[in-house]
Amino acid sequence: MHDNNKGLRVKAILAACVFSLSTLAAAAPAAPPPYILANTEVHDVRASTLGRDYQVFVALPDSYATSKRAYPVVFVVDADYAFPVVRNIASRLNRHAGMEEAIVVGLSYAKGDGAVFSRRRDYTPTTPRKHAYRSDKPGQAPAFGEASAYGRYLTGEVFPFIARHYRADMNRKIFVGHSYGSLLGLQMMLDAPRSFEHYILGSPSLWFDAGIMFEREQAYAARNKDLPASAFFGIGSLETLAPGKKRSRAEEDADMVADLREFDAALKGRGYKHLRTRLKVFADEDHASVLPMVVTHGLRAYLATQKK
């Protein structure tokens, strides 16, 4: 009888605990809802040739639901941070400054990869000849040099997906990249310049792999008489060499402003009939702060504006 009473007491205590936990759960306030960007969608678009999965974020312009027209398309890499920036700038310039509307497409990092690992691999043109980079992916060495292959994923799989699902004017495509993302844009511009009708390239990491993009530009010029592309280059005035350092083609000794001026001058010096470039240095901006300025001026350099 004593054992039975003990068992009953244990059951009673357990029941009271369950009741208390249920009461607490019921009384606990629900988690606040996340902030959601209006008129945005997320799709999975597999890179079949690369054997990887990515997401594509799409922001539709205000008039999309009530119109029948096709819209220019802005493709932005590093979408985890850059997509909402570009989407909001494009929307604000339309609503308050009369710039024409556009569909904004964000390109995510590969599923299962960290941002550093994914962008190093997908946005860089080569594996650096000398480097001491560490991987942020446990058990896997850092990967580089797949910009051309990733570019083919964009043109071969993402472009057709957008064309099928949206009223997109695929004859008016804009690329937006920053830092490593601009290396990807430059590689695509030299691989297949007509991939985009306009390139917005902020603070390109031209120091990468001892200045490999300067070599790529020279190789392109040796093979081609024209470069049919429109490019807006932007960079912060503070992205210069630290005092007391000697400029080189290494990250720690790079003068990114001087590098970009040199690269733009090399392009202009080729005399390409159908190349249009513009370079703007933004005062008092650095590598971390300059992106919104680059996007604003880069979009305005291509999209039409009706003053309100």
Side-chain angles (χ1 to χ4, degrees):
M1 191 71 179
H2 176 75
D3 290 341
N4 287 340
N5 287 338
K6 183 177 180 182
L8 290 173
R9 284 197 300 272
V10 170
K11 289 181 179 179
I13 292 170
L14 289 173
C17 290
V18 170
F19 176 78
S20 298
L21 290 173
S22 300
T23 303
L24 287 172
Y35 179 79
I36 298 174
L37 293 174
N39 298 325
T40 60
E41 302 171 358
V42 179
H43 302 274
D44 292 323
V45 179
R46 180 166 179 77
S48 56
T49 57
L50 301 176
R52 295 193 286 270
D53 293 304
Y54 295 86
Q55 288 186 315
V56 170
F57 312 150
V58 179
L60 299 174
D62 291 342
S63 68
Y64 190 88
T66 57
S67 78
K68 294 183 179 180
R69 70 179 184 271
Y71 296 82
V73 192
V74 180
F75 292 85
V76 55
V77 296
D78 283 312
D80 291 45
Y81 77 89
F83 172 72
V85 174
V86 177
R87 177 260 186 197
N88 288 342
I89 289 174
S91 176
R92 185 167 181 83
L93 288 176
N94 166 255
R95 293 179 185 180
H96 301 287
M99 190 183 76
E100 65 179 307
E101 292 177 294
I103 296 169
V104 178
V105 175
L107 303 158
S108 81
Y109 304 123
K111 284 188 171 183
D113 289 342
V116 174
F117 187 91
S118 186
R119 70 196 305 269
R120 276 179 179 168
R121 177 193 59 217
D122 293 341
Y123 300 169
T124 59
T126 53
T127 297
R129 287 159 284 193
K130 294 181 180 180
H131 75 83
Y133 293 101
R134 293 184 178 182
S135 176
D136 67 336
K137 192 169 184 178
Q140 197 162 336
F144 300 91
E146 296 191 20
S148 290
Y150 184 82
R152 290 190 292 273
Y153 157 66
L154 295 190
T155 58
E157 300 187 72
V158 177
F159 283 6
F161 178 88
I162 296 299
R164 282 195 309 270
H165 290 88
Y166 297 98
R167 294 195 312 277
D169 183 349
M170 300 303 285
N171 293 313
R172 299 186 69 204
K173 302 182 299 298
I174 302 168
F175 177 94
V176 177
H178 179 255
S179 195
Y180 273 11
S182 288
L183 285 185
L184 170 64
L186 285 174
Q187 185 62 54
M188 294 187 72
M189 194 168 80
L190 296 177
D191 279 344
R194 289 189 173 90
S195 297
F196 295 90
E197 284 63 50
H198 186 55
Y199 295 82
I200 300 173
L201 304 172
S203 308
S205 302
L206 291 167
W207 49 262
F208 181 80
D209 193 10
I212 188 67
M213 290 311 299
F214 289 92
E215 298 174 28
R216 293 283 170 97
E217 185 278 326
Q218 292 169 3
Y220 180 91
R223 299 189 308 267
N224 298 275
K225 299 299 183 184
D226 197 10
L227 178 54
S230 164
F232 178 89
F233 295 118
I235 194 165
S237 67
L238 302 180
E239 298 185 73
T240 55
L241 189 63
K245 285 201 169 188
K246 184 179 179 180
R247 182 187 172 200
S248 74
R249 296 283 194 225
E251 181 177 7
E252 61 273 12
D253 297 315
D255 185 327
M256 293 183 66
V257 175
D259 284 350
L260 186 54
R261 290 190 189 279
E262 183 180 337
F263 192 87
D264 184 53
L267 289 175
K268 284 184 167 71
R270 303 298 181 189
Y272 295 129
K273 181 179 179 180
H274 294 103
L275 174 67
R276 301 289 182 270
T277 72
R278 180 183 171 193
L279 190 158
K280 187 170 180 62
V281 179
F282 295 96
D284 302 320
E285 303 293 345
D286 60 24
H287 197 72
S289 68
V290 77
L291 178 64
M293 305 296 291
V294 173
V295 172
T296 298
H297 288 256
L299 289 177
R300 281 180 154 168
Y302 181 76
L303 295 176
T305 297
Q306 301 284 332
K307 288 190 177 181
K308 292 188 175 181

